[in-house]
Amino acid sequence: FRHPLSQRKIAKAYTTAGFYLFPSTSYDIQVQHIMKAMIMGAIPITNRNGYSALPETTADFDMGPTIESGSVDAKAWVEKWTEAVVEAASKPAEELAAYRDSMMTYARERFQWKKVANEWAETFRRHIEAGNTSTCGSPTPQVVTRKDPSERPVTGASPPANSDSNSNSDSDSDSDSTEPAEAKSEL
């Protein structure tokens, strides 16, 4: 692809592609492109690197070879990956159609925003309830709930958004007028 492409053109490409080829040997942690491809029906053929987000994202639908732990022999890996592409493309059309339908059903259920957001919220809730409230030895900041999302949390760095003050002072104030009266710490 050459940039910029509209979302419509990208969606059409994913929909009409039989496979999504991703021959990277890196430790990818941002794989939204593969989620989109799977949702639209393009079967992934990646490196299935166990140190990346690929196996978790593609589940059992990735037709690529697995990178062995340790150093990677690039030439040998490219040969394995090329063989995997040829093997996938050589499968009977009916088998690929059933595989693709199963993958699309899985991906459309698995990658729903509401489902993913709820999983993250539950993970955070479990850690907080278990007392795991610090990261790398630093205290975790408390969550401040506000009725009006446009209100800023207390930082002391700037006046509140509804302030009539023309001052741009960055100095801390003894007044805690930037904190709404109904703010409270909770998850």
Side-chain angles (χ1 to χ4, degrees), residues 18-20 38 41-46 48 58-64 87-88 91-107:
F19 301 96
Y20 186 81
M38 291 174 66
I43 299 169
I45 302 178
T46 77
R48 298 171 68 175
T58 60
D60 294 329
F61 297 103
D62 192 337
M63 293 186 158
E87 181 181 333
K91 291 188 181 294
E94 301 82 26
E95 183 181 332
L96 285 173
Y99 191 84
R100 184 172 286 109
D101 287 344
S102 179
M103 177 196 68
M104 290 170 63
T105 300
Y106 164 82

Side-chain angles (χ1 to χ4, degrees), residues 13-29:
Y14 285 146
T15 303
T16 58
F19 301 96
Y20 186 81
L21 307 181
F22 190 65
S24 172
T25 57
S26 65
Y27 303 115
D28 295 286
I29 58 169

Side-chain angles (χ1 to χ4, degrees), residues 35-63:
M35 294 175 190
K36 291 176 185 179
M38 291 174 66
I39 287 168
M40 302 301 284
I43 299 169
I45 302 178
T46 77
N47 62 29
R48 298 171 68 175
N49 187 325
Y51 295 110
S52 73
L54 291 169
E56 179 183 357
T57 302
T58 60
D60 294 329
F61 297 103
D62 192 337
M63 293 186 158

Side-chain angles (χ1 to χ4, degrees), residues 77-148:
W77 185 84
V78 168
E79 287 177 19
K80 286 173 72 174
W81 188 81
T82 304
E83 289 169 8
V85 171
V86 171
E87 181 181 333
S90 300
K91 291 188 181 294
E94 301 82 26
E95 183 181 332
L96 285 173
Y99 191 84
R100 184 172 286 109
D101 287 344
S102 179
M103 177 196 68
M104 290 170 63
T105 300
Y106 164 82
R108 289 176 178 175
E109 169 63 25
R110 174 69 184 99
F111 303 131
Q112 288 181 18
W113 170 244
K114 186 174 182 177
K115 179 179 175 121
V116 173
N118 285 336
E119 286 175 5
W120 277 88
E122 181 58 30
T123 298
F124 290 136
R125 192 171 292 111
R126 276 195 321 268
H127 281 280
I128 290 169
E129 288 172 359
N132 301 331
T133 57
S134 66
T135 305
C136 299
S138 302
T140 302
Q142 293 182 347
V143 176
V144 176
T145 322
R146 297 181 295 281
K147 287 186 179 181
D148 180 358

